[in-house]
Amino acid sequence: MTNRILAYLFVSLLSVSGIAQTQTNDTITLGEVTVEANAEIGDLSMLRTQIDSLHISNSMHTDMSEVIGENTAVFIKQSVKGSVAGMSLRGTNSTHTRVSWNKLPLNSPLHGTVDISQLPFLFTDDISINYSAAGMMMNDGALGGSLELSTRPEWNQGINLEYAGAAGSFLSFDNYLKFNWSGNKISYSGRAFHSSSKNTFPYENNDIIDGGTQIRQNADFTTYGLMQGIHYRPSPRHFISLNGWIQSGNRGVPGLSTNESGENNNLSRQNNDKLRAVLAYKWQKKDFVTEAWSGADLQRNGFITRNYISGTGRFISIDSKNRTASVHSGLSARIHLSGKHRIKAMVRHTYQHAHSEEAIKSIRYDASRHDVFFSGSWEYRLSDKWHIHSLVKEDVIEGEFHLPNAAVTVSHKSSKNLSFIGSLSRNMHHPSLSDLHHVPGGNPDLLPEASITADAGMHYTGPGKLKWKHKLNAYVRDITNWIMWRPTPQGYWQPDNIESVKTTGIEYSGNLKKKVGKSQVDVRFSYALNRSVNTSTGASLFSGTEGQIPYIPIHAANFSPTYTWKSWQISYQWNAYSERYTTSNAMPDVLYSIYPYFMSNLHLSHRIVCKKYKLTLTASVYNLFNESYRSVLWQPMPGINFRFGVKFNLL
Amino acid sequence: MKTRYHLISWLMAVSLMFISGCMEDDMRPVTAFVTSGNGVFIACEGNFMYGNASLTYYDRESREVTNQAFLQANGIPLGDVAQDLLMHNGLLWVSLNNSGKAYIIDPNSFLYKGKVSGLTSPRHMLPVNENEIWISDLYSGHINVVDANSFEVSGQISLNRDASTTHNAEQMLRYEDKVICNAWSYDKYLFIIDPATGEVSDSIETNWQPKKICLDKSGKLWALCDGGYEGSPFGHEPASLQRIDPDSKAIEATISFQDDATPTDISLNSTGDSLYLINKHVYKLPITTMDTGNHIISGKGHNFYSIMAHPQGVFLSDAGNYMDPGFVYVYNGNSEMQDSIKTGIIPVDFAIE
């Protein structure tokens, strides 16, 4: 209660502060605005969610799990900050979310997932989440959708220097530095970050007898990295770019709150090193664009569990390491046959290799695979109102041809403000190297997952000065041969194909902007309903019902009003997820489900602009109402906590 | 005009605080129980790292089932991966493998009475005498000796004769004045321990991974070996059932199962002259033969996981899909089903009140 009162006082204080500032004069300095012409004939933008980097530029974000978790209705499964974060799109699991950076796929060849807490926000300029047909051409296996990240060159901007530093509760520190230089032909960007936290937050452990107030142990993390990007355009028709990213990290893996093995037992840690680079070439003239790119993603990961036995000493019970290499190349060509037709063809090749070993049990395996993807699309403008986009994609996995994937999308622009879209697609996701070859448990007989999805949506932009937008989408998807890891009587887990999973959902996002004098209100709201049910024969034998797939919330919502007055900005962020079930019986229960999640954060920023530089001061309150909660079973989360930051831009 | 927008935006922000709601962390009301004294406790393993282990109580008279008995009585979860149950001196012991502890519970009320904590990875429990419980461990290489009255760890028994070998005890049983334990994980030995000295006196080599052991009425030891898994660096072979003479240490007979067989449990009947075996189906073989014969209970549509034969019935667990609550079926001596109990996730062990 005390904390809640404090939180209200904090808000009131900010309010008073805001009102007081009305007596001063200042100017609003708008951030960089990118205006992009719609280059597509068959408009797929309604199947995309673009995260507005300008909207979130005033809060100090470090990794992508924070950005997406706070600004969309997408469910991120993560315990404490810095821990492994999986992203689920449209009722699927994290292996069905494909992630790419400058066209380089980032999903681990071993597990097929991406830990999005390891994607630094700083290393990307554009963030888009693509669904169905919008993500199929560039990504393989994106049954849920894809997260596409890219850097964007500046031209003729000279030197641009940006530094940001933040310090927060529980000894959390974030620093990043960005140096850009651009002329007419060369654009360079160098970025570096360091992020760490002890995560030693107090919590009430009511999960054991005599738990009392405890300090979270072994939840610390440190991660740092460097990105270099250079773009060269020798002429307006030629573009060459080279982007590289190196990153290293180390983190504790906190135990469950029920663990009483002692502070020196079962201490697990993870470390990871990543090296990513992609070279791209683009040549374009009026009606023709061709691109070629090639890149590699090299990763090294380790997991170790240490114990200490009185009288025996220290010993290691698990010492596993893996190295993965993914080399990806692609070639695409796009041609406008006329103002009405456009054809695109693409071929991509990926070589994946994984080496995994566990030193204590001397378990090791190596696995590799060549994947080739051919795809072609045709876009047709039937009239000013009707657009058609179709694509066909063929997956050749280790020399084996599969049934082609395809998508047809029809969009209708009913008026200047109102558009509709409908899409039907078939897509496929192939088992990862770990699914097939893991020791023990790998299942070489696994079949690829296949989905058929129908989408429908509308987009409405309100007329007049009040800028309001509504986007509504609905989908139905049937996934056959869904791959699920399950325990076995032998004591290890093993993946299996489950016959059928049906996912259905509705997504809404709305945005209202109103500017009055020197004030601006920007309200964003998004909601997603995702039903994801195992409809296999006999699935309900044990679950009793056709229950929701574990860890997929049925309801997810995000509400974010931002108020800007002169150089001050305050934004409130509210995120909610409905109950998440950890078994498929979808039964509300302390042991089998996690109660609904409601989280409130508050960000305040103030910008000081001088002739030569811009300074932004930020203050953030997380878990505003000091909720005692968890987002993963038996993993406590921190109460109210704060972060203060400063951002410096050389103008 | 400006003031109005200012006010509206703040009202919106403040009003949200009221709808943001409270999360229901730790809202676990407790219930008072008094058991009939004629029940069966069932430990439900739960899933590793999900912390959803639980204790089910089945009243044999009323046929009533109480799931999550420990959670309901104490308001706290049992922990992560329940492994073993032991009734000793009127108290129920539950070992919790991935919680590093064993809880001691009053079987009449399910109320917490004590705990043994600070264990690395506790597995099975054996009362060596009235005042001493041994708890095996999956990783630590030794058996913990626990004072049955104070619940304190009073000593350790190592299975390793030197630093170059690591054996971890699994199940333990009494044979005459000795304790015999099996080393299951990546191992193939049974160890004979002298409880008076706490020293390993001898060992018996078996087939790969002796997972379960029991002792029949003629003093023969039965070991169910799961054979490891394909690709295991320590070796892999078909699962097998072996009958061993603990005195001569001779393997008297072996049944090798098919390559893909995954037998999960064995249990002797109450008179010790027949052995129940789960190998997909349930078999019952006399201890004098090594012929499983035809199954007595079909496993079709089930995933039978563990079995306990008792004078008052045969209790057979069905882990189902291993991720949802399972079942325990109660059979009489003629293999006729008497009752079906819905339990927690992966029912693994039983204790008669």
Side-chain angles (χ1 to χ4, degrees), chain A residues 4 8 11 15 19 204 206-209 256 258-262 265-266 307 309-310 312 315 317-318 361-363 439-440 484-490 492-493 514 516 521 523 541-543 551 559 561 563 570 572 574 582-585 589-592 595-600 624-625 627-630 633-634, chain B residues 1-2 5-6 9-10 12 14 16-26 28 47-54 68 71 75-77 79-80 98-101 103 112 115 117-120 139-140 142 156 184-186 211 229-231 233-234 262 264 301 305 318 320-327 342 344-345:
Chain A
R4 186 164 288 213
Y8 277 98
V11 172
S15 176
I19 292 162
E204 284 299 313
N206 296 317
D207 305 331
I208 57 174
I209 297 289
L256 304 185
T258 54
N259 191 312
E260 294 191 78
S261 61
N265 266 331
N266 296 315
N307 296 275
I309 306 294
S310 175
T312 303
F315 75 96
S317 55
I318 301 171
K361 304 282 190 289
S362 303
I363 300 167
V439 179
M484 186 183 271
W485 282 76
R486 291 191 281 206
T488 64
Q490 294 93 331
Y492 52 78
W493 291 53
K514 176 69 182 171
V516 180
V521 176
V523 180
L541 181 67
F542 285 89
S543 59
Y551 274 111
F559 181 77
Y563 177 74
I570 184 165
Y572 172 80
W574 179 79
T582 61
T583 65
S584 56
N585 67 355
D589 187 290
V590 173
L591 288 186
Y592 307 143
Y595 42 76
Y597 166 94
F598 303 100
M599 185 48 56
S600 297
L624 188 61
F625 302 121
E627 298 268 16
S628 173
Y629 76 106
R630 55 197 95 199
L633 273 174
W634 317 117
Chain B
M1 186 72 171
K2 275 191 287 185
Y5 275 103
H6 202 93
S9 42
W10 277 109
M12 282 171 67
V14 172
L16 264 171
M17 295 170 187
F18 291 100
I19 65 163
S20 64
C22 291
M23 288 187 256
E24 298 169 355
D25 198 43
D26 303 330
R28 303 171 209 150
N47 299 124
F48 179 69
M49 288 305 285
Y50 279 63
N52 53 15
S54 63
Q68 302 178 11
L71 173 69
I76 61 168
D80 196 30
N98 198 41
S99 291
K101 65 187 169 190
Y103 273 137
Y112 167 86
K115 64 185 169 189
S117 56
L119 307 174
T120 305
Y139 291 127
S140 70
H142 62 243
Q156 293 168 343
W184 163 65
S185 179
Y186 297 91
K211 184 179 184 178
Y229 56 84
E230 200 173 341
F234 288 77
T262 53
T264 53
Y305 191 63
D318 184 352
N321 62 10
Y322 292 90
M323 296 192 76
D324 280 311
F327 285 89
K342 188 163 187 176
I345 295 172

Side-chain angles (χ1 to χ4, degrees), chain A residues 560-580:
Chain A
S560 172
T562 301
Y563 177 74
T564 307
W565 178 77
K566 293 186 177 178
S567 59
W568 291 85
Q569 188 179 76
I570 184 165
S571 68
Y572 172 80
Q573 282 175 327
W574 179 79
N575 277 78
Y577 304 123
S578 62
E579 202 153 41
R580 283 133 292 144

Side-chain angles (χ1 to χ4, degrees), chain A residues 100 103 134-140 148 293 328 346 348:
Chain A
S100 65
K103 296 183 178 169
M136 274 179 69
M137 190 90 169
M138 271 309 301
N139 301 278
D140 51 285
E148 291 180 15
W293 65 94
H328 179 81
M346 185 184 292
R348 294 183 297 119

Side-chain angles (χ1 to χ4, degrees), chain A residues 93 111 365 431-447 449 481-498, chain B residues 47-48 50 228-231 236 259-262 303 320-323 346:
Chain A
N93 66 32
H111 306 296
Y365 67 93
S432 69
L433 295 178
S434 174
D435 290 336
L436 296 167
H437 305 292
H438 189 74
V439 179
N443 182 354
D445 300 323
L446 282 177
L447 297 170
E449 300 166 294
N481 297 321
W482 176 293
I483 295 169
M484 186 183 271
W485 282 76
R486 291 191 281 206
T488 64
Q490 294 93 331
Y492 52 78
W493 291 53
Q494 187 166 43
D496 240 327
N497 289 113
I498 60 174
Chain B
N47 299 124
F48 179 69
Y50 279 63
Y229 56 84
E230 200 173 341
H236 167 62
D259 278 354
D260 58 348
T262 53
N303 277 317
N321 62 10
Y322 292 90
M323 296 192 76
I346 315 179

